Amino acid sequence: MSNKIPPIERCDCDVIHEEIVRQVKKKMPPEETLYDLAELFKVFGDSTRIKILWALDEAEICVCDIAYLLNMTQSAISHQLRILKNANLVKSRKEGKVVFYSLNDEHVKQIFEQGLVHISEENS
Amino acid sequence: MSNKIPPIERCDCDVIHEEIVRQVKKKMPPEETLYDLAELFKVFGDSTRIKILWALDEAEICVCDIAYLLNMTQSAISHQLRILKNANLVKSRKEGKVVFYSLNDEHVKQIFEQGLVHISEENS
DNA sequence: ACAACGTATGAACGATTGCTCAATCGTTCA
DNA sequence: TGAACGATTGAGCAATCGTTCATACGTTGT
């Protein structure tokens, strides 16, 4: 993304670890993939969106019901739903004036589960 | 976190969906859990930290090697490592002047894998 | 004791984020 | 047609974030 001049001067200690660094660098996925991965987790990194996703995992729900459920304004929810839609995590279906949202990825719950495992191990 | 007065007035459409909302509300994990989950994913939501975690999944690496690997300043890396340590994702081991970091959670890679599955499905 | 070096930290900054508010769009129904 | 209503959108704002810079800490070797 940025193309500034590399300002980093190699320090002394890693002359020893040269080989390790070289191998790790080789095994790392491409820059773009890691960036996309971060972008995806950024979407999960907000409790409002987490709640929306969790709710949508239970049922298809319209915008105003989500707003009611989370005790937030329709506008706030709509903004967040747009982010979730851009990330291809949810899809929408219009029925008259009402727009119903539902999950667009069956892996969401699995990602959550892994996260919960980490949290539960954290408190032990 | 915030305790302002609930400003939400139930809209008309969801009189029909009353029961669904009630059930979803009952099935949702406690507020605090969802908040912690968001906090965890927030940590993953930065490409620098993603790269660090990915690197540490390959090997135990010292701060200056990570900095060299990612072409960033030691300071920037150190700041990010602190965040990762606070989230219990990495642990450190001191050897003289050098501090080695390594993963503290074997689920990190699994969470990444799930994320990658979503991304790969996105482009199809 | 002092210099050198790897690391950590706090202030400061530009950038981004999540919400509110007001306005608008699209559909329904009288 | 126009009022009502659900949903969307854009501007604006406070708050948060990620980096840089300067500085301090801790260890090593002289």
Side-chain angles (χ1 to χ4, degrees), chain A residues 86-97:
Chain A
N86 286 343
N88 278 313
L89 290 167
V90 304
K91 58 175 183 287
S92 62
R93 177 177 67 83
K94 199 165 190 176
E95 197 172 287
K97 287 177 296 187

Side-chain angles (χ1 to χ4, degrees), chain B residues 9 12 19 21 29-30 42 55 73 75 79 81 84 94 97 102 104 107 110 112 116 123:
Chain B
E9 190 74 28
D12 290 348
E19 184 57 21
V21 170
K42 208 172 283 178
T73 63
S75 178
H79 277 298
L81 283 169
L84 292 171
K94 198 164 191 177
K97 286 176 296 184
S102 57
N104 193 30
H107 308 98
Q110 292 174 49
F112 284 0
L116 287 174
N123 316 327

Side-chain angles (χ1 to χ4, degrees), chain B residues 11-79:
Chain B
C11 59
D12 290 348
C13 90
D14 35 33
V15 176
I16 317 163
H17 316 120
E18 180 77 45
E19 184 57 21
I20 295 169
V21 170
R22 217 177 51 77
Q23 281 193 352
V24 168
K25 204 166 204 166
K26 203 191 292 180
K27 281 197 176 178
M28 296 256 291
E31 173 83 18
E32 195 201 342
T33 304
L34 297 176
Y35 181 81
D36 290 345
L37 203 52
E39 287 302 302
L40 174 64
F41 287 126
K42 208 172 283 178
V43 176
F44 288 118
D46 176 79
S47 59
T48 299
R49 290 192 290 267
I50 288 273
K51 287 176 200 167
I52 293 175
L53 289 171
W54 202 282
L56 294 182
D57 185 68
E58 302 290 346
E60 182 187 53
I61 321 180
C62 68
V63 178
C64 68
D65 271 353
I66 300 172
Y68 173 76
L69 187 66
L70 306 192
N71 195 31
M72 293 177 66
T73 63
Q74 256 186 37
S75 178
I77 298 299
S78 190
H79 277 298

Side-chain angles (χ1 to χ4, degrees), chain A residues 68-86:
Chain A
Y68 173 76
L69 187 66
L70 306 191
N71 195 31
M72 293 178 66
T73 64
Q74 255 186 38
S75 177
I77 298 299
S78 189
H79 278 298
Q80 299 297 4
L81 282 170
R82 199 157 78 91
I83 294 171
L84 291 172
K85 202 171 184 179
N86 286 343

Side-chain angles (χ1 to χ4, degrees), chain A residues 16 22 28 34 38 49 57 59 62-63 73 85 102 110 114 116 121 123:
Chain A
I16 317 163
R22 217 177 52 77
M28 296 258 289
L34 297 175
R49 289 192 290 267
D57 185 68
C62 68
V63 178
T73 64
K85 202 171 184 179
S102 57
Q110 291 175 46
Q114 288 294 332
L116 287 173
E121 285 188 359
N123 315 327

